[in-house]
């Protein structure tokens, strides 16, 4: 039973990293392209009147906040390995969630914000959340799979929207808002609660299953929280789409 969740977790990480490595460098626009594309670096050097390429900052690239973000990705296979032990898998997810808040705080406090960190942080979040939702869907069935599908569709859609807006030099129009932050918090809370319990907990305490009253309450609270998180996810996605619509609806030449 442990091998399948571990395998799915591993495939999720591998496919995402592979997809990132295969992305064309045109996705990086402006001066940020010089950090990822040697051709853009030379072009940027020519624009500023020099032949020297922009210096790399490896110590900033792997700063403590970025290491915390990377640690969330490293926790995904561990989540799969511990899937059959509810409280341990919940502990791994909660620890990963705490690093999500900690890395942003440290980046601002230490003034080590970087483009790599800005990329890595949301990717690590989406990987951990997507893995947990997929595995929970297999365990709980349609009651979790339906809202999970809506959440994942929204995440993919907004990510594609942001990439397209960046190519249009309009990235700030769809920058993270309060609704997006609310979505993240509600998702992490809902998944954390669901990870502590199992579907059989909804049956309540019985002599055969030895389920506690807490487990039944946690299962109900987790499902309610998941649907609240789904509503917040759809709401934030709608806000991003509405903000981007003036750009999306423009005709060529206007």
């Amino acid at each position: 039973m442990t091998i399948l969740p571990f395998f799915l977790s591993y495939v999720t990480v591998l496919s995402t990293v592979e997809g990132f490595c295969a992305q064309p460098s045109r996705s990086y626009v402006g001066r940020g392209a010089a950090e990822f594309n040697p051709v853009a670096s030379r072009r940027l050097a020519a624009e500023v009147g020099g032949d020297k390429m922009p210096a790399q900052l490896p110590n900033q690239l792997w700063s403590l906040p970025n290491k915390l973000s990377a640690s969330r990705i490293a926790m995904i296979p561990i989540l799969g390995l511990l899937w059959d032990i509810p409280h341990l898998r919940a502990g791994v997810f909660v620890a990963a969630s705490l690093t999500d808040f900690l890395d942003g705080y440290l980046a601002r406090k230490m003034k080590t914000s970087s483009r790599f960190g800005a990329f890595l942080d949301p990717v690590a979040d989406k990987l951990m959340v997507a893995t947990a939702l997929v595995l929970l869907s297999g365990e709980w069935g349609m009651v979790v799979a339906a809202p999970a599908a809506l959440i994942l569709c929204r995440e993919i859609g907004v990510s594609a929207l942001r990439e397209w807006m960046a190519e249009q030099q309009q990235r700030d129009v769809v920058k993270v808002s309060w609704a997006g932050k609310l979505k993240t918090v509600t998702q992490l809370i809902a998944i954390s609660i669901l990870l502590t319990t199992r579907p059989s907990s909804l049956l309540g305490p019985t002599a055969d299953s030895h389920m506690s009253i807490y487990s039944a309450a946690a299962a109900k609270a987790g499902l309610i929280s998941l649907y609240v998180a789904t509503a917040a996810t759809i709401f934030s996605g709608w806000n991003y789409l509405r903000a981007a619509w003036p750009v999306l609806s423009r005709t060529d030449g206007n």
Side-chain angles (χ1 to χ4, degrees):
M1 294 295 291
T2 305
I3 299 300
L4 181 58
F6 172 76
F7 176 74
L8 291 174
S9 303
Y10 176 77
V11 168
T12 302
V13 176
L14 187 62
S15 60
T16 301
V17 172
E18 181 181 0
F20 167 66
C21 293
Q23 286 180 352
S25 57
R26 67 178 177 84
S27 296
Y28 301 98
V29 295
R31 291 178 177 263
E35 296 184 10
F36 301 94
N37 187 345
V39 176
S41 296
R42 288 190 287 272
R43 186 182 298 117
L44 177 58
E47 289 175 359
V48 298
D51 296 324
K52 187 176 180 181
M53 294 173 61
Q56 297 291 322
L57 298 174
N59 59 331
Q60 188 178 31
L61 187 67
W62 285 112
S63 60
L64 179 58
N66 288 353
K67 289 178 180 178
L68 287 173
S69 296
S71 71
R72 287 204 295 283
I73 298 177
M75 290 181 191
I76 294 175
I78 300 175
L79 178 68
L81 282 172
L82 299 177
W83 190 255
D84 289 335
I85 310 174
H87 287 87
L88 288 183
R89 70 186 187 184
V92 171
F93 189 86
V94 169
S97 301
L98 291 177
T99 67
D100 181 26
F101 296 102
L102 189 59
D103 59 8
Y105 170 78
L106 290 177
R108 293 187 295 270
K109 193 75 172 178
M110 301 168 62
K111 297 181 180 179
T112 57
S113 299
S114 65
R115 289 183 177 88
F116 179 65
F119 156 78
L120 187 63
D121 180 45
V123 167
D125 295 343
K126 288 175 174 55
L127 278 174
M128 178 61 80
V129 168
T131 301
L133 285 176
V134 168
L135 294 177
L136 282 170
S137 296
E139 185 174 270
W140 284 78
M142 191 56 66
V143 69
V144 169
L150 291 174
I151 290 174
L152 294 179
C153 287
R154 179 271 185 200
E155 297 292 357
I156 295 171
V158 170
S159 295
L161 178 63
R162 285 196 173 117
E163 182 177 355
W164 186 84
M165 292 292 285
E167 293 179 356
Q168 306 301 313
Q169 308 292 328
Q170 298 287 337
R171 180 65 174 80
D172 287 344
V173 175
V174 287
K175 64 183 179 181
V176 177
S177 64
W178 67 268
K181 294 178 180 178
L182 175 64
K183 175 268 300 183
T184 299
V185 172
T186 54
Q187 284 181 1
L188 297 179
I189 291 175
I191 294 173
S192 297
I193 296 174
L194 283 175
L195 287 173
T196 64
T197 185
R198 292 188 181 279
S200 56
S201 301
L202 290 174
L203 299 175
T206 64
D208 296 331
S209 61
H210 302 287
M211 292 295 175
S212 65
I213 296 177
Y214 162 79
S215 296
K220 294 176 183 177
L223 289 176
I224 293 173
S225 299
L226 180 62
Y227 280 85
V228 171
T230 303
T233 300
I234 295 173
F235 174 73
S236 65
W238 169 251
N239 277 350
Y240 291 133
L241 181 61
R242 186 177 58 179
W245 186 249
V247 181
L248 289 168
S249 60
R250 280 191 320 210
T251 57
D252 292 341
N254 294 332

